[in-house]
Amino acid sequence: MSSVAEQLAQRNARLDEGVGTAANASPFLQQDFQRLRTAGLDSGTLFCDASFPADWNSLGYNQLGRYSSKTRGVEWKRPAELCSNPQFIVGGAKRTDICQGALGDCWLLAAIASLTLDKDLLNRVVPPGQSFQDGYAGIFHFQLWQYGEWVDVVVDDRLPTRDGKLLFVHSAESSEFWSALLEKAYAKVNSSYEALSGGSAIEGFEDFTGGIAESYNLNTAPPHLFKIMKKALRLGSLLGCSIDITSTYETEAITNQKLVKGHAYSITATEEVHLFGSPVQLLRIRNPWGQVEWTGPWSDDSKEWEKVQPDEKMKLDHSAEDGEFWMSYSDFLGHFSRLEICNLTPDTLTSNTVGKWSYSQFEGAWRVGSTAGGCRNHPATFCSNPQFVIRLEDIDDDPNDGEDGCTFLVGLMQKDGRRERRFGRDLNTIGFAIYQYKGVNKVHLGPDVLLRQMAVARSSTFINLREVCDRFKLPPGEYVIIPSTFEAHRKGSFILRVFSERQAAASPMEQDVSADIQQPEVGENDVDPHFKRLFTQIAGNDSEISAFELQQILNRVVSQRADVKTDGFGLQTCRHIVSLLDRDGTAKLGLVEFHILWTKIQKYLDIFKSRDLDGSGTISSHEARAALADAGFRLDTVVVQELVSRYADAQFAIDFDGFVGCLVRLEMLFKIFRTLDRNNQGKIQLDLQQWVCLAIN
């Protein structure tokens, strides 16, 4: 448990300091760019990154592995070894700075190309002021969004080459290296260059902006998509579109009306004009090439503009030879195949002229045996999944479909899929369900609620992608979002993000950690005479029971029961019991203390049997939270996970002695904490002696 406590402390400290935000990126692998560059300048040496070394391990593990033919002859060289006057950026970043090399990461290159269209976003990812001249020490840095936080990634400038040329991304300008170094930083956070092979541009959009991305197949576009696009632009979202290809031969093929297949366009505006008095919906679309424009209706010199009022025509600035053109929404649906909307977080947007989404983000984990419950096809474990509550109060200002409701996006992203590839691990199949919630807040919902009602909404599919994202509109109210893997007992870490058009409160469905333990007021006169005689027989001459004697007594009793399974009470558990109940400091149990223990064990036995639904003599670890609640303990997911890892067996079952040991240990910890929390603040401070004694106990 110590490692978990350390992680929680570090996470809370980071939150308090704002580390990992857009304004204060976290140093990746604890490598501080300024400190490392200063050290290099002071020593006169060029930086060599030991965390991402210039060797085969950084290239890959299979196709780009050590013995692959594709890595033969590869040499790592600094830009000064490739040209006489290397430059970081030449004449501003532009699309031609990104040329694909011998790596199947065109999805990433499309996302990098999109950065060149927005100077603010580019400067966020590629911090300005970097150079091969001023302050050069062989080190550069980039800022990427990774699973809920911004990280500052340093790289040395040793790049993989073959025959004196860059092996992977390169610029059309042979002396320019920003795009190659950015690709290296992205490879570093994903463990290797090979890990970047194959993917979707959406992934790159998100990692360069921290946004949440939606994807629409235009063959099945929702009826109010134009309004969705209009509102998205008003909220500062990035919109891209493309035309699908049926084979690699069609890549960047130009149609008769000058549209480029398999090519990423951006959408920069939506407007309505009047043609013969009737409204026409228009989109302004940009080809990042800066040329090759649509020649159909509403293109720069089309006849449709002659029938538009001069003031409307002037407002739209319809004619310019810059790769940007207008197209009717109906033609857009007919010619383009896919629309992608990347909605940005409030801290990413720099303009004050756009509206902003309300945004919430949460970390979570599916742990086998405790929170990896699978989808609703697994009713015995489904309710143990992590749960998050969202409170929708304000309806949309301008409904896309004309109907009142609260619009929000839910994105479920699983972590580290690319890093796990080298170990042969596949992405989980993930999705989520949304239930209406009525009741007391901060109470983890169980089968009595979730299995008796249908979900009011759910992800469009369960799929083995990095992220599942969907848009919903629901009436005002409280809802619970339950993210899960499709199959039960699949481990993984995730982040859940919620974007809402209006302010909405969201939080983990976690009750505060607490205990309601009834301590009976028992005196010697309250003890039954029969129990006194029994105690005298088993306690011996000193009329007290030590931990060693208690172990023998408990094991003798439980061995005679066929309805519970146990491998015997351990001495450590018995010591904990004695420590908890010993009132006079003798390290033994007297009559009254033993009577209290016996009452507790009877209560624990009743709870245990009520939760042993299959009569196996054990309880499932997925039922641990409910059983602990029956005993008076309200615990959050982190604590439940740790208890399961400590007290469940390999089949994630908890036997009776483990259950008793867990409850006794919890009660003792709560008792110690309350003793030390003298001001009832929910926090304690320990000196070293107190800490050592507590840890030993």
Side-chain angles (χ1 to χ4, degrees):
M1 293 188 189
S2 58
S3 62
V4 175
E6 181 181 0
Q7 291 170 12
L8 288 173
Q10 291 176 347
R11 186 176 70 180
N12 291 337
R14 288 161 60 84
L15 290 174
D16 291 342
E17 297 169 5
V19 176
T21 62
N24 187 17
S26 171
F28 185 68
L29 300 181
Q30 304 302 310
Q31 292 177 298
D32 183 270
F33 170 70
Q34 296 295 347
R35 183 178 60 80
L36 291 171
R37 185 177 67 167
T38 300
L41 292 173
D42 290 346
S43 65
T45 59
L46 296 180
F47 177 62
C48 292
D49 187 6
S51 66
F52 197 64
D55 62 25
W56 63 270
N57 192 56
S58 298
L59 289 176
Y61 43 87
N62 187 11
Q63 294 295 316
L64 294 178
R66 185 172 194 170
Y67 302 107
S68 170
S69 60
K70 294 183 178 181
T71 59
R72 289 176 189 163
V74 171
E75 296 180 283
W76 295 76
K77 294 187 176 182
R78 298 187 189 268
E81 299 175 80
L82 299 174
C83 65
S84 59
N85 185 28
Q87 302 292 316
F88 189 63
I89 295 180
V90 177
K94 48 192 178 295
R95 183 194 63 82
T96 54
D97 297 349
I98 304 115
C99 301
Q100 188 171 359
L103 185 64
D105 61 349
C106 59
W107 62 274
L108 176 62
L109 310 193
I112 296 176
S114 73
L115 283 178
T116 65
L117 305 178
D118 191 309
K119 185 177 180 181
D120 289 333
L121 292 178
L122 178 69
N123 289 340
R124 158 87 261 180
V125 175
V126 186
Q130 303 189 75
S131 168
F132 285 95
Q133 288 76 38
D134 297 334
Y136 172 69
I139 183 173
F140 293 86
H141 72 130
F142 302 88
Q143 297 196 349
L144 305 171
W145 183 88
Q146 286 288 287
Y147 308 113
E149 70 169 359
W150 284 93
V151 294
D152 190 87
V153 186
V154 303
V155 292
D156 64 35
D157 61 350
R158 296 177 295 175
L159 296 167
T161 70
R162 182 185 284 126
D163 300 327
K165 296 181 180 179
L166 291 176
L167 188 62
F168 302 130
V169 166
H170 54 280
S171 172
E173 175 61 58
S174 61
S175 62
E176 184 176 53
F177 292 93
W178 75 269
S179 57
L181 291 167
L182 173 56
E183 182 191 42
K184 182 175 183 179
Y186 203 80
K188 178 177 176 177
V189 299
N190 287 286
S191 79
S192 70
Y193 279 94
E194 185 172 354
L196 306 185
S197 182
S200 165
I202 282 181
E203 186 175 340
F205 287 152
E206 292 184 331
D207 288 348
F208 293 145
T209 66
I212 188 171
E214 305 173 78
S215 181
Y216 293 92
N217 183 340
L218 296 179
N219 290 328
T220 56
H224 307 290
L225 182 59
F226 184 79
K227 281 194 172 183
I228 291 174
M229 297 167 69
K230 188 178 185 71
K231 184 173 286 188
L233 287 167
R234 198 164 70 231
L235 291 169
S237 303
L238 303 178
L239 276 66
C241 56
S242 60
I243 302 171
D244 288 345
I245 60 175
T246 57
S247 70
T248 56
Y249 297 106
E250 288 190 323
T251 302
E252 297 196 343
I254 300 175
T255 69
N256 293 334
Q257 293 178 303
K258 296 297 181 69
L259 294 176
V260 185
K261 292 186 175 183
H263 180 61
Y265 288 83
S266 57
I267 299 173
T268 57
T270 59
E271 291 289 350
E272 284 191 2
V273 298
H274 290 83
L275 187 65
F276 300 115
S278 299
V280 178
Q281 296 173 329
L282 296 181
L283 301 176
R284 189 174 67 199
I285 302 174
R286 176 174 173 76
N287 182 345
W289 286 355
Q291 54 187 339
V292 186
E293 296 183 14
W294 160 253
T295 58
W298 299 102
S299 59
D300 286 359
D301 299 317
S302 70
K303 59 184 180 180
E304 284 79 13
W305 290 107
E306 300 172 2
K307 303 175 180 66
V308 175
Q309 293 295 323
D311 57 335
E312 284 190 331
K313 186 189 302 186
M314 185 177 301
K315 182 180 68 173
L316 299 185
D317 187 22
H318 76 280
S319 181
E321 195 61 42
D322 56 2
E324 201 164 52
F325 55 87
W326 291 93
M327 172 184 272
S328 72
Y329 176 63
S330 58
D331 277 337
F332 170 73
L333 294 180
H335 287 82
F336 283 87
S337 310
R338 186 160 298 280
L339 168 71
E340 293 172 344
I341 303 176
C342 186
N343 305 286
L344 304 185
T345 57
D347 59 358
T348 303
L349 294 165
T350 57
S351 172
N352 293 321
T353 62
V354 299
K356 296 182 179 180
W357 292 91
S358 174
Y359 170 66
S360 298
Q361 172 183 295
F362 309 101
E363 291 186 61
W366 296 296
R367 289 271 291 270
V368 178
S370 55
T371 55
C375 69
R376 189 165 167 162
N377 293 348
H378 308 277
T381 56
F382 172 67
C383 302
S384 62
N385 282 300
Q387 301 178 6
F388 302 86
V389 63
I390 177 172
R391 184 178 298 108
L392 305 173
E393 296 179 337
D394 302 321
I395 61 174
D396 300 345
D397 286 330
D398 179 22
N400 296 324
D401 55 6
E403 297 182 5
D404 288 341
C406 307
T407 295
F408 63 103
L409 310 176
V410 177
L412 173 63
M413 178 183 291
Q414 52 186 322
K415 292 184 177 183
D416 299 326
R418 293 188 180 276
R419 296 182 67 87
E420 296 291 309
R421 283 184 182 178
R422 67 166 61 230
F423 307 112
R425 298 171 188 154
D426 295 328
L427 288 168
N428 285 319
T429 300
I430 61 172
F432 56 85
I434 303 175
Y435 289 81
Q436 190 152 24
Y437 169 62
K438 294 179 181 179
V440 181
N441 199 6
K442 300 292 186 181
V443 176
H444 191 92
L445 301 184
D448 55 328
V449 175
L450 297 181
L451 299 185
R452 293 183 180 180
Q453 61 175 291
M454 297 299 294
V456 296
R458 64 183 73 245
S459 55
S460 56
T461 184
F462 273 79
I463 193 168
N464 59 337
L465 294 178
R466 182 174 88 149
E467 184 175 42
V468 174
C469 177
D470 284 288
R471 176 183 290 255
F472 304 96
K473 176 184 277 191
L474 292 175
E478 286 189 307
Y479 300 89
V480 173
I481 304 170
I482 302 180
S484 73
T485 57
F486 184 74
E487 299 174 342
H489 316 303
R490 296 296 298 266
K491 70 175 182 178
S493 299
F494 65 85
I495 65 166
L496 183 78
R497 297 185 290 167
V498 180
F499 281 59
S500 54
E501 287 195 5
R502 301 294 303 275
Q503 192 68 32
S507 64
M509 180 66 96
E510 294 284 17
Q511 59 264 39
D512 296 329
V513 176
S514 64
D516 180 18
I517 305 166
Q518 302 300 321
Q519 297 290 0
E521 293 295 330
V522 179
E524 188 169 341
N525 294 333
D526 299 315
V527 180
D528 179 83
H530 176 71
F531 189 87
K532 288 182 180 180
R533 289 194 296 272
L534 178 63
F535 176 79
T536 302
Q537 293 174 9
I538 62 178
N541 295 331
D542 61 355
S543 296
E544 288 189 311
I545 295 175
S546 68
F548 302 96
E549 293 169 322
L550 180 61
Q551 182 183 25
Q552 296 175 349
I553 294 167
L554 293 179
N555 286 335
R556 190 183 313 134
V557 171
V558 295
S559 67
Q560 297 173 5
R561 301 194 65 108
D563 55 347
V564 295
K565 284 189 177 180
T566 175
D567 55 4
F569 282 82
L571 182 58
Q572 186 66 15
T573 296
C574 294
R575 282 174 169 159
H576 285 157
I577 293 173
V578 172
S579 178
L580 174 66
L581 299 175
D582 177 23
R583 295 180 174 182
D584 54 12
T586 62
K588 294 183 179 182
L589 299 182
L591 171 63
V592 174
E593 295 161 340
F594 188 71
H595 183 270
I596 294 173
L597 169 62
W598 209 251
T599 303
K600 282 182 178 292
I601 289 181
Q602 290 298 321
K603 177 185 175 182
Y604 295 165
L605 180 62
D606 291 341
I607 294 172
F608 187 84
K609 292 180 66 176
S610 70
R611 291 294 173 181
D612 179 14
L613 301 180
D614 60 359
S616 64
T618 64
I619 60 172
S620 164
S621 60
H622 288 275
E623 282 291 336
R625 187 195 296 263
L628 292 167
D630 293 342
F633 297 100
R634 300 288 184 267
L635 305 174
D636 66 12
T637 296
V638 172
V639 177
V640 171
Q641 287 175 339
E642 292 310 302
L643 290 174
V644 167
S645 67
R646 169 65 177 83
Y647 291 100
D649 64 17
Q651 286 70 46
F652 299 100
I654 301 174
D655 60 13
F656 184 62
D657 62 279
F659 183 62
V660 172
C662 175
L663 293 175
V664 168
R665 182 69 170 150
L666 277 173
E667 186 172 345
M668 185 168 65
L669 290 172
F670 273 97
K671 179 181 177 181
I672 294 171
F673 187 91
R674 287 170 178 171
T675 301
L676 297 173
D677 183 19
R678 295 183 177 88
N679 297 321
N680 198 29
Q681 295 179 332
K683 296 181 180 180
I684 61 175
Q685 187 172 0
L686 305 177
D687 62 28
L688 183 58
Q689 181 191 50
Q690 290 173 318
W691 165 247
V692 171
C693 290
L694 177 58
I696 291 174
N697 195 3

